Amino acid sequence: MRFAKPCFRSWLAAAVVLSAAATAHAGQVFADQAPSTALGRDVKFTVYVPDGYQPGGTVNYPVVYLLHGAGGDENEWRTKGGAVETLDGLIKRGLIRPSVVVMPTAGPASWWADGAAEKAGTAIMKDLLPYVESRYRVHKERSGRAIGGLSMGGYGALNLSLRNPTQFCAAAVISPAIYDPLPPDTSAARRTPQFVRDGQFDPDTWKSLNYAAALDAYKAGTPRVPMWIVSGDHDYLGIAPMSATLYWRLYQIQPKQVELRVIDGDHEWLVFRDALPDALQYVDRQCRQG
């Protein structure tokens, strides 16, 4: 496996890199960026393509959008979360299909939402997704597109899938920062401009953007997005009980399409890394069935 730092636009250059590593029996990782009208700047992302991927080929792959947590960036899942090694292992063992995985950033405190400062949610849905689908060999239909994330990224994966259920076939929600009704004083959410108005944290903005505000419309519509929810039992932010509440609310709507796991650990990378393999297997399985 090799990480190519320079961004590229030319698939000819990409093909050369990929063909040179064709005997590695592992996926490749590149840096790229999607122009974003919503943000007024590029959405940077790291993209994993599986062994055998050919830019000029005829095979299209499932795609997973994997979102980082507060303070992170497009490299965090790769450098701290072991995402590349996890994907290589799962694909090699036949536990998930060969897939393209996009690890974007809209900023370290975007919360993947259209908040008070920036329209990060629109940037993902209207700018990043079309860019990826126009330049990578990925499925363009709902059944080939999943989303996941940790902490702030879990908040984002949940909210984006609930508000765009026709776009995602499954979601993986890892240690999600989905505080209801309000985040604790220790949460980074209270200090991000996305939830600040008139110089201070605004509870109404938080409530309007958090998942609870989307549940009624989600319940009234179709389709359903299967959800994998996982948290550490010693999460110091109180995310384990919040995850259980989320699970129960979704169970009332889709009892056969939601799972909850509480594992040993805190709000930490040991938990996030351990949760990723099962999360990826769940979304892959659900998307295959859907």
Side-chain angles (χ1 to χ4, degrees), residues 131-160:
Y131 178 91
V132 169
E133 292 174 3
S134 70
R135 286 165 172 79
Y136 293 83
R137 299 209 63 88
V138 298
H139 292 302
K140 297 179 175 65
E141 62 275 10
R142 176 184 186 266
S143 61
R145 187 189 304 116
I147 191 168
L150 70 92
S151 193
M152 179 184 83
Y155 171 103
L158 174 62
N159 279 295
L160 288 172

PDB file of all heavy atoms in Angstrom, residues 131-160:
ATOM      1  N   TYR A 131     -19.112  14.711  -7.547  1.00  0.00           N
ATOM      2  CA  TYR A 131     -17.718  14.705  -7.995  1.00  0.00           C
ATOM      3  C   TYR A 131     -17.172  13.278  -7.985  1.00  0.00           C
ATOM      4  O   TYR A 131     -16.561  12.824  -8.962  1.00  0.00           O
ATOM      5  CB  TYR A 131     -16.878  15.602  -7.091  1.00  0.00           C
ATOM      6  CG  TYR A 131     -15.405  15.618  -7.446  1.00  0.00           C
ATOM      7  CD1 TYR A 131     -14.904  16.561  -8.337  1.00  0.00           C
ATOM      8  CD2 TYR A 131     -14.517  14.700  -6.890  1.00  0.00           C
ATOM      9  CE1 TYR A 131     -13.548  16.584  -8.674  1.00  0.00           C
ATOM     10  CE2 TYR A 131     -13.169  14.705  -7.226  1.00  0.00           C
ATOM     11  CZ  TYR A 131     -12.691  15.652  -8.114  1.00  0.00           C
ATOM     12  OH  TYR A 131     -11.359  15.659  -8.448  1.00  0.00           O
ATOM     13  N   VAL A 132     -17.365  12.571  -6.890  1.00  0.00           N
ATOM     14  CA  VAL A 132     -16.868  11.198  -6.784  1.00  0.00           C
ATOM     15  C   VAL A 132     -17.491  10.321  -7.870  1.00  0.00           C
ATOM     16  O   VAL A 132     -16.797   9.532  -8.533  1.00  0.00           O
ATOM     17  CB  VAL A 132     -17.161  10.632  -5.379  1.00  0.00           C
ATOM     18  CG1 VAL A 132     -16.894   9.125  -5.337  1.00  0.00           C
ATOM     19  CG2 VAL A 132     -16.316  11.342  -4.325  1.00  0.00           C
ATOM     20  N   GLU A 133     -18.784  10.471  -8.068  1.00  0.00           N
ATOM     21  CA  GLU A 133     -19.472   9.608  -9.017  1.00  0.00           C
ATOM     22  C   GLU A 133     -19.127   9.929 -10.472  1.00  0.00           C
ATOM     23  O   GLU A 133     -19.316   9.087 -11.347  1.00  0.00           O
ATOM     24  CB  GLU A 133     -20.980   9.676  -8.773  1.00  0.00           C
ATOM     25  CG  GLU A 133     -21.354   9.037  -7.441  1.00  0.00           C
ATOM     26  CD  GLU A 133     -22.815   9.198  -7.073  1.00  0.00           C
ATOM     27  OE1 GLU A 133     -23.584   9.777  -7.892  1.00  0.00           O
ATOM     28  OE2 GLU A 133     -23.208   8.753  -5.981  1.00  0.00           O
ATOM     29  N   SER A 134     -18.598  11.116 -10.715  1.00  0.00           N
ATOM     30  CA  SER A 134     -18.198  11.475 -12.074  1.00  0.00           C
ATOM     31  C   SER A 134     -16.759  11.084 -12.382  1.00  0.00           C
ATOM     32  O   SER A 134     -16.385  11.011 -13.560  1.00  0.00           O
ATOM     33  CB  SER A 134     -18.381  12.982 -12.301  1.00  0.00           C
ATOM     34  OG  SER A 134     -17.430  13.734 -11.554  1.00  0.00           O
ATOM     35  N   ARG A 135     -15.957  10.795 -11.362  1.00  0.00           N
ATOM     36  CA  ARG A 135     -14.528  10.568 -11.582  1.00  0.00           C
ATOM     37  C   ARG A 135     -14.021   9.199 -11.115  1.00  0.00           C
ATOM     38  O   ARG A 135     -12.912   8.814 -11.424  1.00  0.00           O
ATOM     39  CB  ARG A 135     -13.708  11.673 -10.907  1.00  0.00           C
ATOM     40  CG  ARG A 135     -13.799  12.989 -11.668  1.00  0.00           C
ATOM     41  CD  ARG A 135     -13.319  14.152 -10.845  1.00  0.00           C
ATOM     42  NE  ARG A 135     -13.236  15.365 -11.654  1.00  0.00           N
ATOM     43  CZ  ARG A 135     -14.286  16.118 -11.976  1.00  0.00           C
ATOM     44  NH1 ARG A 135     -15.490  15.770 -11.562  1.00  0.00           N
ATOM     45  NH2 ARG A 135     -14.136  17.207 -12.717  1.00  0.00           N
ATOM     46  N   TYR A 136     -14.835   8.495 -10.358  1.00  0.00           N
ATOM     47  CA  TYR A 136     -14.433   7.178  -9.866  1.00  0.00           C
ATOM     48  C   TYR A 136     -15.451   6.139 -10.332  1.00  0.00           C
ATOM     49  O   TYR A 136     -16.621   6.448 -10.549  1.00  0.00           O
ATOM     50  CB  TYR A 136     -14.326   7.182  -8.337  1.00  0.00           C
ATOM     51  CG  TYR A 136     -13.205   8.047  -7.817  1.00  0.00           C
ATOM     52  CD1 TYR A 136     -13.375   9.423  -7.663  1.00  0.00           C
ATOM     53  CD2 TYR A 136     -11.961   7.502  -7.505  1.00  0.00           C
ATOM     54  CE1 TYR A 136     -12.340  10.234  -7.203  1.00  0.00           C
ATOM     55  CE2 TYR A 136     -10.920   8.307  -7.048  1.00  0.00           C
ATOM     56  CZ  TYR A 136     -11.120   9.667  -6.906  1.00  0.00           C
ATOM     57  OH  TYR A 136     -10.090  10.463  -6.468  1.00  0.00           O
ATOM     58  N   ARG A 137     -14.976   4.912 -10.437  1.00  0.00           N
ATOM     59  CA  ARG A 137     -15.841   3.834 -10.890  1.00  0.00           C
ATOM     60  C   ARG A 137     -16.636   3.294  -9.703  1.00  0.00           C
ATOM     61  O   ARG A 137     -16.292   2.256  -9.116  1.00  0.00           O
ATOM     62  CB  ARG A 137     -15.018   2.741 -11.564  1.00  0.00           C
ATOM     63  CG  ARG A 137     -14.244   3.231 -12.805  1.00  0.00           C
ATOM     64  CD  ARG A 137     -14.048   2.125 -13.799  1.00  0.00           C
ATOM     65  NE  ARG A 137     -15.344   1.648 -14.293  1.00  0.00           N
ATOM     66  CZ  ARG A 137     -15.995   2.174 -15.338  1.00  0.00           C
ATOM     67  NH1 ARG A 137     -15.476   3.205 -15.978  1.00  0.00           N
ATOM     68  NH2 ARG A 137     -17.151   1.679 -15.729  1.00  0.00           N
ATOM     69  N   VAL A 138     -17.670   4.041  -9.328  1.00  0.00           N
ATOM     70  CA  VAL A 138     -18.530   3.662  -8.212  1.00  0.00           C
ATOM     71  C   VAL A 138     -19.976   3.602  -8.693  1.00  0.00           C
ATOM     72  O   VAL A 138     -20.361   4.239  -9.672  1.00  0.00           O
ATOM     73  CB  VAL A 138     -18.425   4.660  -7.039  1.00  0.00           C
ATOM     74  CG1 VAL A 138     -17.006   4.693  -6.492  1.00  0.00           C
ATOM     75  CG2 VAL A 138     -18.882   6.060  -7.433  1.00  0.00           C
ATOM     76  N   HIS A 139     -20.767   2.817  -7.963  1.00  0.00           N
ATOM     77  CA  HIS A 139     -22.197   2.759  -8.257  1.00  0.00           C
ATOM     78  C   HIS A 139     -22.830   4.126  -7.995  1.00  0.00           C
ATOM     79  O   HIS A 139     -22.515   4.788  -7.005  1.00  0.00           O
ATOM     80  CB  HIS A 139     -22.872   1.714  -7.377  1.00  0.00           C
ATOM     81  CG  HIS A 139     -22.468   0.302  -7.701  1.00  0.00           C
ATOM     82  ND1 HIS A 139     -22.642  -0.267  -8.941  1.00  0.00           N
ATOM     83  CD2 HIS A 139     -21.898  -0.664  -6.935  1.00  0.00           C
ATOM     84  CE1 HIS A 139     -22.202  -1.507  -8.933  1.00  0.00           C
ATOM     85  NE2 HIS A 139     -21.732  -1.775  -7.729  1.00  0.00           N
ATOM     86  N   LYS A 140     -23.734   4.509  -8.844  1.00  0.00           N
ATOM     87  CA  LYS A 140     -24.413   5.791  -8.702  1.00  0.00           C
ATOM     88  C   LYS A 140     -25.806   5.652  -8.106  1.00  0.00           C
ATOM     89  O   LYS A 140     -26.489   6.646  -7.855  1.00  0.00           O
ATOM     90  CB  LYS A 140     -24.492   6.497 -10.055  1.00  0.00           C
ATOM     91  CG  LYS A 140     -23.125   6.849 -10.641  1.00  0.00           C
ATOM     92  CD  LYS A 140     -23.283   7.516 -11.997  1.00  0.00           C
ATOM     93  CE  LYS A 140     -21.928   7.991 -12.540  1.00  0.00           C
ATOM     94  NZ  LYS A 140     -21.027   6.862 -12.812  1.00  0.00           N
ATOM     95  N   GLU A 141     -26.249   4.423  -7.886  1.00  0.00           N
ATOM     96  CA  GLU A 141     -27.574   4.210  -7.323  1.00  0.00           C
ATOM     97  C   GLU A 141     -27.486   4.026  -5.804  1.00  0.00           C
ATOM     98  O   GLU A 141     -26.428   3.730  -5.252  1.00  0.00           O
ATOM     99  CB  GLU A 141     -28.261   3.001  -7.965  1.00  0.00           C
ATOM    100  CG  GLU A 141     -27.536   1.682  -7.747  1.00  0.00           C
ATOM    101  CD  GLU A 141     -26.445   1.414  -8.764  1.00  0.00           C
ATOM    102  OE1 GLU A 141     -26.100   2.318  -9.537  1.00  0.00           O
ATOM    103  OE2 GLU A 141     -25.937   0.271  -8.768  1.00  0.00           O
ATOM    104  N   ARG A 142     -28.602   4.198  -5.145  1.00  0.00           N
ATOM    105  CA  ARG A 142     -28.666   4.110  -3.685  1.00  0.00           C
ATOM    106  C   ARG A 142     -28.101   2.806  -3.159  1.00  0.00           C
ATOM    107  O   ARG A 142     -27.395   2.786  -2.145  1.00  0.00           O
ATOM    108  CB  ARG A 142     -30.125   4.255  -3.225  1.00  0.00           C
ATOM    109  CG  ARG A 142     -30.336   4.075  -1.725  1.00  0.00           C
ATOM    110  CD  ARG A 142     -31.819   4.143  -1.383  1.00  0.00           C
ATOM    111  NE  ARG A 142     -32.033   4.113   0.054  1.00  0.00           N
ATOM    112  CZ  ARG A 142     -32.273   3.009   0.769  1.00  0.00           C
ATOM    113  NH1 ARG A 142     -32.318   1.831   0.145  1.00  0.00           N
ATOM    114  NH2 ARG A 142     -32.457   3.079   2.068  1.00  0.00           N
ATOM    115  N   SER A 143     -28.377   1.690  -3.829  1.00  0.00           N
ATOM    116  CA  SER A 143     -27.971   0.377  -3.338  1.00  0.00           C
ATOM    117  C   SER A 143     -26.460   0.199  -3.290  1.00  0.00           C
ATOM    118  O   SER A 143     -25.971  -0.764  -2.696  1.00  0.00           O
ATOM    119  CB  SER A 143     -28.586  -0.726  -4.197  1.00  0.00           C
ATOM    120  OG  SER A 143     -28.150  -0.602  -5.543  1.00  0.00           O
ATOM    121  N   GLY A 144     -25.729   1.124  -3.905  1.00  0.00           N
ATOM    122  CA  GLY A 144     -24.274   1.028  -3.890  1.00  0.00           C
ATOM    123  C   GLY A 144     -23.586   2.100  -3.083  1.00  0.00           C
ATOM    124  O   GLY A 144     -22.372   2.260  -3.177  1.00  0.00           O
ATOM    125  N   ARG A 145     -24.353   2.832  -2.237  1.00  0.00           N
ATOM    126  CA  ARG A 145     -23.792   3.986  -1.530  1.00  0.00           C
ATOM    127  C   ARG A 145     -24.145   3.927  -0.037  1.00  0.00           C
ATOM    128  O   ARG A 145     -25.303   4.019   0.343  1.00  0.00           O
ATOM    129  CB  ARG A 145     -24.339   5.280  -2.134  1.00  0.00           C
ATOM    130  CG  ARG A 145     -23.699   6.552  -1.599  1.00  0.00           C
ATOM    131  CD  ARG A 145     -24.443   7.796  -2.088  1.00  0.00           C
ATOM    132  NE  ARG A 145     -24.536   7.874  -3.543  1.00  0.00           N
ATOM    133  CZ  ARG A 145     -25.692   7.821  -4.210  1.00  0.00           C
ATOM    134  NH1 ARG A 145     -26.836   7.672  -3.559  1.00  0.00           N
ATOM    135  NH2 ARG A 145     -25.704   7.921  -5.534  1.00  0.00           N
ATOM    136  N   ALA A 146     -23.122   3.802   0.815  1.00  0.00           N
ATOM    137  CA  ALA A 146     -23.314   3.762   2.266  1.00  0.00           C
ATOM    138  C   ALA A 146     -22.527   4.886   2.919  1.00  0.00           C
ATOM    139  O   ALA A 146     -21.680   5.528   2.285  1.00  0.00           O
ATOM    140  CB  ALA A 146     -22.884   2.409   2.832  1.00  0.00           C
ATOM    141  N   ILE A 147     -22.791   5.115   4.204  1.00  0.00           N
ATOM    142  CA  ILE A 147     -22.120   6.188   4.926  1.00  0.00           C
ATOM    143  C   ILE A 147     -21.853   5.742   6.355  1.00  0.00           C
ATOM    144  O   ILE A 147     -22.582   4.924   6.917  1.00  0.00           O
ATOM    145  CB  ILE A 147     -22.976   7.480   4.901  1.00  0.00           C
ATOM    146  CG1 ILE A 147     -22.171   8.691   5.416  1.00  0.00           C
ATOM    147  CG2 ILE A 147     -24.289   7.296   5.672  1.00  0.00           C
ATOM    148  CD1 ILE A 147     -22.856  10.027   5.155  1.00  0.00           C
ATOM    149  N   GLY A 148     -20.770   6.257   6.938  1.00  0.00           N
ATOM    150  CA  GLY A 148     -20.442   5.940   8.327  1.00  0.00           C
ATOM    151  C   GLY A 148     -19.564   7.026   8.904  1.00  0.00           C
ATOM    152  O   GLY A 148     -19.071   7.905   8.186  1.00  0.00           O
ATOM    153  N   GLY A 149     -19.358   6.979  10.211  1.00  0.00           N
ATOM    154  CA  GLY A 149     -18.494   7.966  10.832  1.00  0.00           C
ATOM    155  C   GLY A 149     -18.384   7.771  12.317  1.00  0.00           C
ATOM    156  O   GLY A 149     -19.155   7.017  12.927  1.00  0.00           O
ATOM    157  N   LEU A 150     -17.401   8.459  12.919  1.00  0.00           N
ATOM    158  CA  LEU A 150     -17.181   8.364  14.360  1.00  0.00           C
ATOM    159  C   LEU A 150     -17.407   9.714  15.029  1.00  0.00           C
ATOM    160  O   LEU A 150     -17.083  10.757  14.467  1.00  0.00           O
ATOM    161  CB  LEU A 150     -15.758   7.870  14.657  1.00  0.00           C
ATOM    162  CG  LEU A 150     -14.597   8.826  14.364  1.00  0.00           C
ATOM    163  CD1 LEU A 150     -14.216   9.661  15.596  1.00  0.00           C
ATOM    164  CD2 LEU A 150     -13.373   8.063  13.888  1.00  0.00           C
ATOM    165  N   SER A 151     -17.978   9.696  16.208  1.00  0.00           N
ATOM    166  CA  SER A 151     -18.193  10.879  17.033  1.00  0.00           C
ATOM    167  C   SER A 151     -18.916  11.969  16.239  1.00  0.00           C
ATOM    168  O   SER A 151     -20.063  11.785  15.839  1.00  0.00           O
ATOM    169  CB  SER A 151     -16.866  11.359  17.610  1.00  0.00           C
ATOM    170  OG  SER A 151     -17.087  12.310  18.635  1.00  0.00           O
ATOM    171  N   MET A 152     -18.275  13.103  15.955  1.00  0.00           N
ATOM    172  CA  MET A 152     -18.897  14.105  15.092  1.00  0.00           C
ATOM    173  C   MET A 152     -19.288  13.491  13.757  1.00  0.00           C
ATOM    174  O   MET A 152     -20.326  13.837  13.172  1.00  0.00           O
ATOM    175  CB  MET A 152     -17.935  15.274  14.878  1.00  0.00           C
ATOM    176  CG  MET A 152     -18.463  16.378  13.980  1.00  0.00           C
ATOM    177  SD  MET A 152     -17.256  17.696  13.641  1.00  0.00           S
ATOM    178  CE  MET A 152     -16.334  16.953  12.275  1.00  0.00           C
ATOM    179  N   GLY A 153     -18.467  12.568  13.260  1.00  0.00           N
ATOM    180  CA  GLY A 153     -18.784  11.883  12.016  1.00  0.00           C
ATOM    181  C   GLY A 153     -19.952  10.929  12.165  1.00  0.00           C
ATOM    182  O   GLY A 153     -20.689  10.687  11.204  1.00  0.00           O
ATOM    183  N   GLY A 154     -20.137  10.357  13.366  1.00  0.00           N
ATOM    184  CA  GLY A 154     -21.322   9.545  13.626  1.00  0.00           C
ATOM    185  C   GLY A 154     -22.578  10.401  13.614  1.00  0.00           C
ATOM    186  O   GLY A 154     -23.620  10.000  13.092  1.00  0.00           O
ATOM    187  N   TYR A 155     -22.476  11.579  14.213  1.00  0.00           N
ATOM    188  CA  TYR A 155     -23.548  12.566  14.141  1.00  0.00           C
ATOM    189  C   TYR A 155     -23.870  12.857  12.677  1.00  0.00           C
ATOM    190  O   TYR A 155     -25.038  12.879  12.267  1.00  0.00           O
ATOM    191  CB  TYR A 155     -23.092  13.829  14.871  1.00  0.00           C
ATOM    192  CG  TYR A 155     -23.965  15.056  14.729  1.00  0.00           C
ATOM    193  CD1 TYR A 155     -24.813  15.456  15.756  1.00  0.00           C
ATOM    194  CD2 TYR A 155     -23.904  15.842  13.579  1.00  0.00           C
ATOM    195  CE1 TYR A 155     -25.595  16.605  15.627  1.00  0.00           C
ATOM    196  CE2 TYR A 155     -24.682  16.977  13.447  1.00  0.00           C
ATOM    197  CZ  TYR A 155     -25.523  17.359  14.465  1.00  0.00           C
ATOM    198  OH  TYR A 155     -26.292  18.491  14.338  1.00  0.00           O
ATOM    199  N   GLY A 156     -22.827  13.088  11.877  1.00  0.00           N
ATOM    200  CA  GLY A 156     -23.030  13.405  10.478  1.00  0.00           C
ATOM    201  C   GLY A 156     -23.620  12.262   9.682  1.00  0.00           C
ATOM    202  O   GLY A 156     -24.545  12.453   8.889  1.00  0.00           O
ATOM    203  N   ALA A 157     -23.100  11.046   9.871  1.00  0.00           N
ATOM    204  CA  ALA A 157     -23.611   9.893   9.142  1.00  0.00           C
ATOM    205  C   ALA A 157     -25.080   9.651   9.456  1.00  0.00           C
ATOM    206  O   ALA A 157     -25.882   9.344   8.564  1.00  0.00           O
ATOM    207  CB  ALA A 157     -22.782   8.658   9.476  1.00  0.00           C
ATOM    208  N   LEU A 158     -25.438   9.791  10.727  1.00  0.00           N
ATOM    209  CA  LEU A 158     -26.828   9.597  11.130  1.00  0.00           C
ATOM    210  C   LEU A 158     -27.732  10.662  10.522  1.00  0.00           C
ATOM    211  O   LEU A 158     -28.759  10.364   9.901  1.00  0.00           O
ATOM    212  CB  LEU A 158     -26.929   9.620  12.647  1.00  0.00           C
ATOM    213  CG  LEU A 158     -28.346   9.576  13.231  1.00  0.00           C
ATOM    214  CD1 LEU A 158     -29.060   8.288  12.832  1.00  0.00           C
ATOM    215  CD2 LEU A 158     -28.306   9.735  14.743  1.00  0.00           C
ATOM    216  N   ASN A 159     -27.352  11.918  10.690  1.00  0.00           N
ATOM    217  CA  ASN A 159     -28.198  12.999  10.214  1.00  0.00           C
ATOM    218  C   ASN A 159     -28.314  13.035   8.700  1.00  0.00           C
ATOM    219  O   ASN A 159     -29.404  13.255   8.155  1.00  0.00           O
ATOM    220  CB  ASN A 159     -27.680  14.333  10.745  1.00  0.00           C
ATOM    221  CG  ASN A 159     -28.126  14.599  12.169  1.00  0.00           C
ATOM    222  OD1 ASN A 159     -29.303  14.749  12.435  1.00  0.00           O
ATOM    223  ND2 ASN A 159     -27.171  14.656  13.074  1.00  0.00           N
ATOM    224  N   LEU A 160     -27.212  12.823   8.010  1.00  0.00           N
ATOM    225  CA  LEU A 160     -27.269  12.839   6.549  1.00  0.00           C
ATOM    226  C   LEU A 160     -28.125  11.690   6.014  1.00  0.00           C
ATOM    227  O   LEU A 160     -28.871  11.869   5.044  1.00  0.00           O
ATOM    228  CB  LEU A 160     -25.864  12.775   5.960  1.00  0.00           C
ATOM    229  CG  LEU A 160     -25.023  14.047   6.119  1.00  0.00           C
ATOM    230  CD1 LEU A 160     -23.583  13.802   5.671  1.00  0.00           C
ATOM    231  CD2 LEU A 160     -25.630  15.213   5.335  1.00  0.00           C
TER     232      LEU A 160
END
